[in-house]
Every structure is written in structure tokens, then in C-alpha cells.
Amino acid sequence: SVPRRLGLPGEFDYPRYLAFQEVAAIGRVVSQEDIVLIRSAAEESLQRRIDLTARRLGDAIRTAVADDRVSSILAALLVGDQKRIPGVLADAYTRAGVNHILSISGFHVGIIAAFISLASLWILTRCEYLTVRYNVRRLVVLLAVPSMLVYLFLTGNAPATARSVIMLAAFAFALYAERESDPVNTLLTAAFLLVAINPPTLFDLSFQLSFLSLWGIVIAVPALTERMSAVKSACGRTVVQFVAASVAASCVTLIPVLFTFRVASLNGILTNFLIVPL
């Protein structure tokens, strides 16, 4: 059958949703016994192996941690699997304004990139031959790029994750080439690449919120911190930047979140102080 809308006010446009996934018709069977699974070489593709690895990692987390609430959050934070988070817990994150922490984005990818870079720097500086002949500080930023790409596919290639990987890779190449980088241009480059590869991504809520929030941070934080130039201490400037980033991300995404979920929270401006450092 061809999917159709029922004509209800505020109805989710299911046909449009399926069309973005190149699905033109849907079908049903009476029981699962009527389904014949045809195995092919495609099952041994690289993406399938990565997906199976991610599933095994998620299962390992759930096996090691008995509490379903805790294991579901850990699986979301590490491998991007949010499907098993209890509805009550997901609503609590939304009301607290910190559900962004469950989405694999620049925060998570940045931790991995920093860890790989610092670990590689520590290892390479132990070898005198390499430190004499090569600029290892420039080299280590490139070593983090392959690990970011692997993590991107491991966590499901979500728009927010892809945006983060593209931007961090661009900054890594800029550092290696000793060139200046502009955050807004890098953000637009990431958006252009994602939409060019898959145009329906533009209508993905995750894509919209991810780029909107980072755009707000990139634009607002420098402007607000400049007005707080009277703050002399490094700790004070850090707090000002943190508040500015939290306020900017919350405000620019307020209307889209209200439109989509019929609920929005500004609690994140305060709760980010606790959640993000943890």
C-alpha cells in the first residue's frame, strides 16, 4: 500500500518521512513465518561489521551493569544507542534541559580526539629518532582523524556526530598545515557536505538542532565574553564563557524544540554546570 496522511491537525507527515528514506510503498505480513530472509554478501560489508561491533559493545555494557537505567545511559553516551532509555528517564533529561548530553556530538568526539592526540604525543616523544626528524606535535593531530571516523560509523553516523567529525577533522588539518581556521566557515562546510551527500538531512531535527546550537555558541560566546572584559581572573573568564555557551545554545534552539516537542526547558542553563563536567 502507498502510505497516506489521515488529515488530522498537527499530524506527523509519515509519507514524507518515508520518502526521505526512499520508501514509496509499505507492506505487511500476517506472521513472521511468512518472511524469507535471503542472505547475501552484503551482510559481510564493512558497515555491517561495524554495526555488529556496536551492538556487541552495547550488549557488553548492559551485561556488566545490572541497573537498566544506568546501562541505558552508558550505552547512549558511548555507542549512541538511545533506544533502550526508559521513557520516564528520557523525559527527566528533557525537563532538566540536558538531553543533548545523550547525543553523540562534538563533546564526545572531542574527548576521543584529545585522548588519541595526547596519548600519541606521549608515545612518540619517547622515541628520540622521531622527535629529532619530525614535528610530532603537528603529526599527532592527524592521528586522531582515523579514530574519529571509526567512532562516527560505530555510533550510527548521526548528523550531529558527522558534523562534529567534519569540523574537528578540518581543524586538525588546519593545525597540521599551520593555517588559521574560522569556526563559522567550518560549520558551513560541514553543513554543505552533509546536505550534498544526503539532501533530506536538511529536514532532520538532529541536524537542525546540532547546527543551530553550535551556530549560537560560535556567534554569541565571543560577543558576550568581550563585554565581560572586566573579568581578569582565568577562572572568572571560564565561568563567563560557560554561561554564555549554555545560554546561547538554549535560546537559539528554544523555538524549534517547542515546535517539535511542545515542551522546552531553560533549566539546562543551570544544570549544564553539573552535567557537562561530570
Side-chain angles (χ1 to χ4, degrees):
S1 64
V2 177
R4 303 182 185 279
R5 297 185 65 179
L6 300 177
L8 301 174
E11 177 188 0
F12 175 66
D13 195 341
Y14 189 55
R16 181 170 179 262
Y17 168 76
L18 291 178
F20 284 153
Q21 303 180 57
E22 300 182 352
V23 176
I26 56 178
R28 297 178 178 85
V29 294
V30 176
S31 66
Q32 62 182 10
E33 284 76 19
D34 296 330
I35 301 175
V36 178
L37 178 62
I38 302 175
R39 301 186 181 277
S40 66
E43 291 194 3
E44 300 304 321
S45 65
L46 177 60
Q47 183 58 57
R48 174 169 172 78
R49 293 174 186 169
I50 294 174
D51 291 341
L52 289 175
T53 301
R55 188 173 71 178
R56 293 191 191 103
L57 289 172
D59 292 340
I61 292 171
R62 284 181 281 271
T63 301
V65 182
D67 191 332
D68 291 340
R69 290 162 52 92
V70 178
S71 63
S72 64
I73 295 298
L74 287 176
L77 288 172
L78 297 175
V79 294
D81 182 8
Q82 300 186 33
K83 297 178 181 178
R84 303 196 187 186
I85 298 178
V88 175
L89 186 58
D91 291 341
Y93 270 84
T94 301
R95 289 195 304 273
V98 292
N99 52 351
H100 63 87
I101 209 72
L102 301 178
S103 173
I104 304 294
S105 59
F107 184 76
H108 307 73
V109 180
I111 291 175
I112 292 177
F115 175 79
I116 295 295
S117 298
L118 293 174
S120 301
L121 181 63
W122 185 85
I123 294 172
L124 293 178
T125 51
R126 305 277 80 78
C127 178
E128 184 179 350
Y129 177 85
L130 293 175
T131 53
V132 170
R133 288 166 176 77
Y134 301 99
N135 187 335
V136 294
R137 290 186 178 276
R138 290 176 57 193
L139 186 62
V140 294
V141 296
L142 294 183
L143 296 179
V145 175
S147 62
M148 290 191 295
L149 291 174
V150 171
Y151 191 59
L152 169 65
F153 292 107
L154 187 68
T155 55
N157 196 18
T161 316
R163 184 264 302 162
S164 306
V165 170
I166 292 173
M167 293 187 67
L168 286 169
F171 283 124
F173 285 115
L175 286 171
Y176 179 78
E178 296 184 346
R179 294 292 186 270
E180 293 184 1
S181 55
D182 181 76
V184 176
N185 288 339
T186 310
L187 183 66
L188 292 175
T189 300
F192 171 78
L193 290 175
L194 291 180
V195 174
I197 294 171
N198 184 25
T201 303
L202 181 63
F203 303 98
D204 189 300
L205 182 63
S206 174
F207 174 91
Q208 297 170 2
L209 295 181
S210 173
F211 278 88
L212 266 178
S213 59
L214 192 58
W215 174 80
I217 292 173
V218 168
I219 297 298
V221 171
L224 291 175
T225 51
E226 286 178 4
R227 295 178 180 275
M228 299 293 180
S229 56
V231 180
K232 301 300 182 181
S233 67
C235 181
R237 287 195 297 270
T238 301
V239 171
V240 169
Q241 290 176 340
F242 195 98
V243 172
S246 189
V247 170
S250 299
C251 290
V252 297
T253 58
L254 185 64
I255 293 178
V257 169
L258 272 173
F259 178 79
T260 304
F261 300 108
R262 305 292 190 271
V263 62
S265 173
L266 293 176
N267 295 332
I269 296 175
L270 296 177
T271 52
N272 278 332
F273 276 96
L274 175 64
I275 299 297
V276 171
L278 286 176

